[in-house]
Structures are given as C-alpha cells and as structure tokens.
Amino acid sequence: MNEKPAIYQGFPYGAVYFRKTNPPAADWERDYAVAREDGFTSFRHWFMWAGIEVAPGEFEWDDYDRQLDLAAWNGLTTIIAEHVTIAPEWLFLTYPDSRYERRDGSKIDSQMQVSSSIGGTPGLCLDNDDVRAAAGRFLTELVTRYRNHPGTGGYDVWNETNIDPDVCYCPATQAHFREWLRKRYGDDVSILRTRWGRYYSAWEQVQAPRTLGLYGQSIDWLLFRRDRAHELLRWRVQLIRSLDQDHPITAHGVAGTLGFGIEKGIDDWMAAAEVDSFGFTFVASRRSDRRWKQALAVELVRSASDGKPFWHSEMQAGPLWLQPQVVGRPLDDGRVSTPDDIRYWNLMSMAGGVNGIYHLRWRPLIDGPLFQAFGAYDLDGSRTDRSRQVSAIARWAAETEQQQLWAARAAPAPLSLLFVPESQAYGLIARHSRKPYERAISGAWRALYDLSVVADLRKLHQLAGTEVAYLPCPTLLPDEWARALIEWVRAGGTLISEATPAWFNDHAHAATRRPGAGLDELFGATEFDVEFTPEILDDVQFRSGGHRAYGGEIRQRLTPTTGVPTGWYDDGSVAVVDHEFGAGRTRLIGTMPGTGYSTHQDSGTRGFYQSVLDWAGVRPQARAHDDRLVTRLHVGDAADFLWVINSSREDVESMVELFGERSFNKEMRVLWGSSDQLELSETDTTRVRIPARDGLVIRIGR
C-alpha cells in the first residue's frame, strides 16, 4: 500500500452495528444517517458464516450488501469481521467427527451465540482439513465480494483471539500436536523419556494430556495450543492478504495475556505480529471500573503491538444486566454506564495511546441474555444522553486541532515488566490456578502505576529495548530466558526479580542449585531454604529500603555469596540481595511483593516499590500530587501533550509535576477541558482543576 489506508487516518471512531438478527432492516438507513451526523467514522459488522452460507455453496449476501452500500453513501468505512467460528448448521451434520472434543471425550454441538442470537457457535475444529477448506472457501467468497466495494475499510479476524481451555482433543488436533513436538524436539520419540518421563516407541502413541500437572507434557501441551491457535490466525490473514492487498487486516483480543493467557491460548504479542494493527476488548462491567485495570489493559496491548497502531476495539457505552461478572457488584462499578463514565473510559484509553475507539454495540441487542447491553443508543436506535456524550467525543477527536495529538505517541516507559509464558504456566500446572502469576505481575504493575510510573510489558525478543526490568513470579523459567538475562545484565541492564527464579526449567525439572540455570552467579546469592506454602503466606512481611512490605505465595530465605543483603524477614533471615554483575546490577527478592501489593495495597509495600525505583534510578515522567488523578505524557514531533485524568467521582484540584527536562510554558494550550482549569506556569509544576470523571489534555510547546 503506497498511501495510508483511510481507516488509519485521524482518529477512527466507531462501533459494532450489524449482527444479522439486529438491528431491524427498517432502521438501517436512519441509523447510518444518525451515525454520520454524530461523528462516527466507521462501523464493524459480524459476517457470520452460519448466517451467510445457509446451504453448501448457497450464500445470502443481501443484508451485508446493504450495509456496505449505506456505509459508502454516508462516508463511513466498514470493518468486515469474519466469524468462521460461527459455522453453518449443515456443516455440523456434514462433518460430525470434526466437532470440538472436550478433555472428557464429549463433543460440542451447535450452540447459540450469545452476542448475536444465532446458532453455530463454537464452530468446528479447524485442525480438520475438510472443515478448514470449507472455511477457506467461505472467506474467499467474502473477500472477493467486498474487496473492491467503496464501503470496505478493512478486515477483523478471529474475534477476541482466545480459545476454550477445554478443547480440542479430536484426532486432527492430536496429529498437529505430534507434528509440533517433532519440530520442537526432532524425529526421535525417545526424547520424550527425558522431557516427559514417557517411554514411547512410536510417535503414534503420543497423546495430549487430558489432565494438567507439574510435568513437561503439560507445559508442551499448553504451548502447543497457543501456537496452533496463532497458526490458524496466520492462515486467515494469509488467505485474506492473498485476495486483497489494499485493505488492512486487524485483530483484537481481550487484553487477557497476563491472566488467562496460557490457559486460553492468548498471547497478544503473537497475535499482533500477524496483523497490521491490533486491539482489545475492555468493558468495565466485566473487568471492574478500577482505573488500574483499564490502564493495564491499554499498556499491555500497546506494548504487545510493538509500535503498530492499536485500538480499543470494544468499549462499553451502556449497561450489562444479570451476567455473572456483575452480580453482587455496586451499580457504579460498570453495571450501568453514565455519560460521565463513558467520557472517563474514552479519555483513559486515549491517554494510554490508542489510535482509535470502537464501542461493542451501536445500539443494543434485542434477543438473548445480553439484551440492552453496552449500546450508547436506545433499543429503537434513538439518541440518549449516553450517545450524546459519545458523539461529543467522536466530534472532538475528528477536529483538525487534534491531529498533532493523534500523531504523538505515549512516552517510552522507564521500566519494563517481563512476561514469561512458561512462568505463567507454572501456576496452572502446579497450583491449578491462573491467579498466582496474575496476582504477581498485575500487583507489581499496579504498585508502580500508583507511584506514577507506567511500566511497559515485554517478552524475550524485546529485552534489549529496556534498561530496567522487573521479573515477576519466575519459579519456572526456561534456560533460554536465563541465558538472555545473564548477558543483558552483563551488558549493563538492571534486573529486579521476585523469588525462586528458575527453580524449575521449562520441562518442570527442579534445579539442584538455586537459583537455577546459573542465576545464582547473576544474583550473587543462593537459597538457604524455601517454603512453598501459599495459603499461609498472604501476610508474610520483610523489611527493605526503610519500609515494611508484604510478599506472598513463596518465602525463600537467601544466602548472599558475592551479593549484599539489603532486606530481612522478621526472623532475621535474608530476604533481599543486591549484586553488581558485569556492567549491570540485580536485586533478588525472596518472596512475591507483587502478590503482596495485590492482596493489601498498603503504604508499606508501595514504599518498598518506591525504594526499588530510587535504587534503579527510575522516575515518573509526570505526577499529580493528588492520587485521584493519573497522568500520561505523549511525545510528538512538534510538541508534547500531557493527559491528566480524574478517576474519582469528585472534582479535584491538585498540583501536577513534570520530570526530566520538560516544563510548562507560555505556549501550552488546552485541547480537552477549558483554559480556566489550568494555571499558567513556566516551571515544572502547575495547578489543575479537573471535574469528576473528566480530564485535561494540555499541548506543551517546546
């Protein structure tokens, strides 16, 4: 593509509109006109295989043709969201052996799709050649029909990029698993004797484990499921690209890598690598309205996109009723969506650097359990106070004055958290829970965020791009990671690690000298003793940096060798060791302070994290003195931009401080908000006044 596709110009603002059963056809023309008037630039529609190829080779396109025609007439672009995971009813009967197989051996028949009220979910297993070929024929028909249509803007593939943790164990998937193992280990099946403890004599004997335990076979199965899911993403992308080289291809997940990742085959880095842009679903009704959760979702996908455009692909603008995620929660915790909430959620994602926002409904569904959910407009398509707020944001985003703002990017993070999929797998196979890893990594990120440091998240291939790194919950660590960390620190990196690094390798073998994989030399310490007693360690504490902090999950007492003790448990044993190694340095913490902060959110653990930042020489880029405000700095070619967001439901007045060489100046201008909310200043501090659930966007000249 020689010029920037229309979908990437400015700040795309849209919503999901057509899902076959809704909205009614009589409203389409009016709805498109309203969307145009209200500042929307795009609609995304679900092109569901089940609702289009109603019999083999018999396609019903009329409804979708009308959508693209209306888009073209109203100056909107269309994102074509393929849904081969919603398969035709006849396909289930044609290929019954290709139904997904659960670990208990049962098969999954056609189910209703709760977000569209149409049958065909979860589709059939694409590991089966016949099913994949049929899906490929449908995608070919889809792309060739619309690739030259003036209403087409791009494609969205593999909705929410995750798989059911209970599937698939069908013969075709088993065959792909064996192929994956041979690529990983070679053709000699006897390698699985040492890797798995399985004494096979032929590859045909190898079967996927149907229960998970602390064994190499479980790790391999989890990694295979993730890899195979992304191979099928690549298959979709390559097929579409072979037919249409002019329109971009996007995908979006659920920003779930740090929680559900290895369990549900989620890896935002792997998915983002396959497409032109990547996005995420985040709705407060399902994930809570706590500000750090939305901020972490945005930063995760920004980090995983690695410089590519990224989108908040599904944001709520309406209520959610009766679903298990909301039952028992307060009304204002995402269960309803007020105009103030919608404004705040938009500003939070924009402050994180998203390049576009889509709402997951333009108007709500009228069928199924998600009735009236999420939409800004009413059930009949009429405007509401919520839609008027959405329209105000869409119109503001499209103004010429904001184009420099959208060209800027979130300032580089001074510190990165390292995501290790195999470390995440440890919790699932040893503790049968995703919580151990999720609490450690999200708790550490949250502690830093509460100190106004917005950390990146990185995988191994991005390690060289950071100077300071934090390694959470590394109990199971591949040798490849250990070697890379040793060389990175030797070259000048600063590494902070939580307890028991490389206690197990990626085949679940325990190290005889710990830390394992040579990391004892890196950290200048060895293990004196260890307690794997997570259920009684929620209140374990240690002293370091002048603070008394909580840990959790594991208590490892350390013996310094060439390192220096800098933290102690209450019994006087060593909890923290600092060490200089090559041109770099390390800090090893004998418990999981990320888990401790996740549990307690206390000032002592937060103070410990501040002492870690001081030791590592890390400072925030901007900070509000009132912790109800959050800040985010964006860097542009001609100017920088400061976002200040009030997450509370009260008006807040506070000083805001810039760090480094930046300062406020006479050239600063308010882009969102009003000039009377900002005191003019030519120093590194200024006073701001932010209404409840609102923000201030300031252009800072240079």
Side-chain angles (χ1 to χ4, degrees):
M1 293 176 285
N2 295 324
E3 60 183 42
K4 193 176 186 181
I7 197 65
Y8 291 141
Q9 295 174 8
F11 190 92
Y13 201 95
V16 177
Y17 180 72
F18 185 57
R19 299 177 187 242
K20 190 61 176 177
T21 58
N22 190 63
D27 297 345
W28 296 347
E29 188 170 339
R30 181 206 63 185
D31 287 353
Y32 272 83
V34 170
R36 181 192 69 237
E37 293 166 5
D38 286 3
F40 283 77
T41 65
S42 182
F43 273 157
R44 183 166 77 239
H45 309 306
W46 282 25
F47 287 71
M48 293 172 285
W49 188 11
I52 297 173
E53 192 175 358
V54 296
E58 183 181 328
F59 300 91
E60 293 185 356
W61 297 108
D62 291 353
D63 290 347
Y64 293 94
D65 290 349
R66 183 70 172 143
Q67 303 302 321
L68 272 82
D69 290 344
L70 285 167
W73 293 339
N74 286 278
L76 275 65
T77 57
T78 300
I79 303 301
I80 297 171
E82 65 80 19
H83 278 266
V84 296
T85 53
I86 306 176
E89 302 289 357
W90 55 264
L91 201 73
F92 285 84
L93 297 176
T94 305
Y95 302 112
D97 291 340
S98 296
R99 290 173 297 165
Y100 284 107
E101 183 178 324
R102 299 185 181 95
R103 64 185 59 177
D104 66 5
S106 62
K107 294 283 191 174
I108 303 178
D109 293 317
S110 173
Q111 315 271 324
M112 292 297 291
Q113 218 295 334
V114 297
S115 292
S116 63
S117 294
I118 189 173
T121 292
L124 296 170
C125 180
L126 291 171
D127 287 337
N128 292 271
D129 293 343
D130 290 339
V131 172
R132 193 168 62 258
R137 288 192 294 272
F138 167 71
L139 291 176
T140 299
E141 293 284 343
L142 173 66
V143 174
T144 54
R145 187 173 189 86
Y146 296 119
R147 62 189 173 189
N148 295 319
H149 196 291
T152 297
Y155 305 91
D156 185 22
V157 295
W158 187 23
N159 186 59
E160 294 190 337
T161 61
N162 72 93
I163 55 178
D164 185 335
D166 201 31
V167 300
C168 180
Y169 293 84
C170 75
T173 300
Q174 300 273 11
H176 280 286
F177 182 41
R178 289 188 287 270
E179 180 183 347
W180 182 90
L181 289 168
R182 294 176 81 152
K183 289 180 180 177
R184 181 171 172 84
Y185 296 126
D187 288 334
D188 187 354
V189 73
S190 67
I191 188 68
L192 297 185
R193 296 178 181 180
T194 55
R195 302 294 186 179
W196 287 16
R198 294 276 195 171
Y199 285 75
Y200 298 116
S201 59
W203 279 105
E204 291 73 20
Q205 299 165 6
V206 178
Q207 296 291 310
R210 294 185 184 245
T211 57
L212 297 178
L214 189 55
Y215 304 109
Q217 63 181 14
S218 298
I219 299 170
D220 281 342
W221 173 240
L222 292 169
L223 294 175
F224 158 74
R225 294 178 73 255
R226 178 204 64 182
D227 291 356
R228 180 58 183 162
H230 289 85
E231 284 177 5
L232 290 169
L233 169 61
R234 187 179 310 125
W235 165 77
R236 292 171 171 92
V237 171
Q238 289 177 346
L239 175 58
I240 293 171
R241 279 206 178 113
S242 72
L243 300 166
D244 184 352
Q245 294 84 47
D246 295 324
H247 293 103
I249 303 173
T250 190
H252 70 279
V254 293
T257 300
L258 307 183
F260 296 103
I262 202 69
E263 181 181 13
K264 300 190 74 172
I266 299 172
D267 190 309
D268 291 321
W269 284 266
M270 293 178 70
E274 300 294 340
V275 289
D276 299 311
S277 65
F278 191 60
F280 61 100
T281 295
F282 184 94
V283 293
S285 58
R286 287 185 168 139
R287 303 281 287 276
S288 97
D289 186 50
R290 284 176 285 182
R291 70 183 186 189
W292 69 269
K293 285 203 169 187
Q294 181 175 348
L296 177 53
V298 177
E299 296 300 331
L300 165 64
V301 178
R302 181 188 62 80
S303 298
S305 297
D306 208 10
K308 290 182 178 180
F310 76 107
W311 315 61
H312 194 147
S313 305
E314 295 196 350
M315 175 187 287
Q316 79 182 82
L320 180 63
W321 308 131
L322 303 181
Q323 297 303 295
Q325 301 95 334
V326 299
V327 173
R329 284 166 44 189
L331 194 63
D332 63 1
D333 188 17
R335 298 186 74 165
V336 297
S337 301
T338 68
D340 288 354
D341 291 332
I342 293 166
R343 179 182 60 234
Y344 164 70
W345 294 329
N346 273 265
L347 292 174
M348 281 291 287
S349 285
M350 289 173 168
V354 299
N355 304 112
I357 290 175
Y358 279 63
H359 293 277
L360 71 165
R361 307 281 192 279
W362 193 79
R363 54 188 277 186
L365 299 178
I366 55 178
D367 299 300
L370 297 182
F371 65 93
Q372 205 185 10
F374 303 133
Y377 295 77
D378 212 339
L379 280 167
D380 62 357
S382 59
R383 290 182 172 98
T384 67
D385 289 344
R386 300 189 311 279
S387 74
R388 282 183 272 275
Q389 179 65 82
V390 166
S391 176
I393 296 168
R395 289 177 172 279
W396 172 78
E399 292 173 357
T400 302
E401 190 175 16
Q402 268 63 265
Q403 300 319 298
Q404 277 193 354
L405 175 64
W406 307 133
R409 292 291 177 263
L415 180 150
S416 298
L417 270 67
L418 303 178
F419 171 67
V420 185
E422 292 85 352
S423 297
Q424 185 181 52
Y426 166 79
L428 200 59
I429 64 178
R431 297 259 278 109
H432 306 290
S433 171
R434 60 183 174 85
K435 290 296 184 181
Y437 191 82
E438 182 179 28
R439 292 173 68 202
I441 193 168
S442 64
W445 193 91
R446 181 182 181 183
L448 297 169
Y449 187 70
D450 287 349
L451 294 167
S452 299
V453 171
V454 184
D456 273 341
L457 294 121
R458 292 176 182 261
K459 287 182 70 177
L460 183 58
H461 68 279
Q462 299 169 309
L463 179 60
T466 189
E467 295 179 358
V468 181
Y470 185 101
L471 184 64
C473 198
T475 304
L476 192 153
L477 192 72
D479 291 347
E480 179 186 22
W481 266 95
R483 290 191 297 268
L485 289 169
I486 289 169
E487 294 309 313
W488 176 75
V489 173
R490 194 192 308 276
T494 296
L495 177 65
I496 304 110
S497 176
E498 294 190 332
T500 58
W503 217 96
F504 297 97
N505 67 12
D506 57 351
H507 305 298
H509 297 318
T512 55
R513 182 177 176 86
R514 297 170 299 278
L519 294 180
D520 56 320
E521 295 185 11
L522 175 67
F523 291 113
T526 58
E527 176 184 288
F528 176 74
D529 67 15
V530 66
E531 298 169 6
F532 287 88
T533 54
E535 79 283 1
I536 60 172
L537 287 176
D538 280 350
D539 293 325
V540 66
Q541 290 185 282
F542 63 96
R543 294 171 289 107
S544 182
H547 300 276
R548 185 173 173 82
Y550 283 99
E553 190 67 25
I554 290 170
R555 172 161 50 192
Q556 186 180 39
R557 296 177 177 88
L558 302 170
T559 298
T561 53
T562 52
V564 177
T566 56
W568 295 265
Y569 294 112
D570 290 346
D571 63 4
S573 60
V574 176
V576 183
V577 173
D578 292 353
H579 188 225
E580 294 185 2
F581 184 84
R585 54 184 177 156
T586 63
R587 170 167 288 186
L588 176 59
I589 307 161
T591 185
M592 311 289 189
T595 301
Y597 196 73
S598 180
T599 303
H600 297 280
Q601 300 99 53
D602 62 299
S603 60
T605 308
R606 188 163 55 250
F608 166 71
Y609 273 102
Q610 182 62 64
S611 73
V612 171
L613 293 175
D614 294 341
W615 171 79
V618 172
R619 303 177 74 192
Q621 292 148 344
R623 181 181 64 194
H625 291 188
D626 189 308
D627 62 12
R628 291 172 293 179
L629 303 184
V630 295
T631 60
R632 195 72 167 98
L633 184 70
H634 288 201
V635 178
D637 292 336
D640 296 338
F641 302 87
L642 180 65
W643 297 73
V644 188
I645 313 294
N646 180 2
S647 63
S648 78
R649 299 184 185 276
E650 303 171 329
D651 296 349
V652 174
E653 182 172 332
S654 174
M655 299 301 293
V656 174
E657 183 178 4
L658 294 173
F659 291 87
E661 299 179 358
R662 293 181 178 86
S663 63
F664 298 101
N665 52 63
K666 293 181 179 179
E667 296 180 21
M668 62 184 180
R669 186 169 73 252
V670 174
L671 300 181
W672 177 274
S674 60
S675 57
D676 62 1
Q677 294 175 242
L678 174 69
E679 285 187 2
L680 293 178
S681 172
E682 294 189 56
T683 69
D684 58 3
T685 60
T686 191
R687 184 176 298 276
V688 299
R689 289 171 289 276
I690 314 290
R693 306 290 273 181
D694 207 339
L696 195 62
V697 183
I698 309 164
R699 183 188 188 276
I700 304 171
R702 293 179 184 160

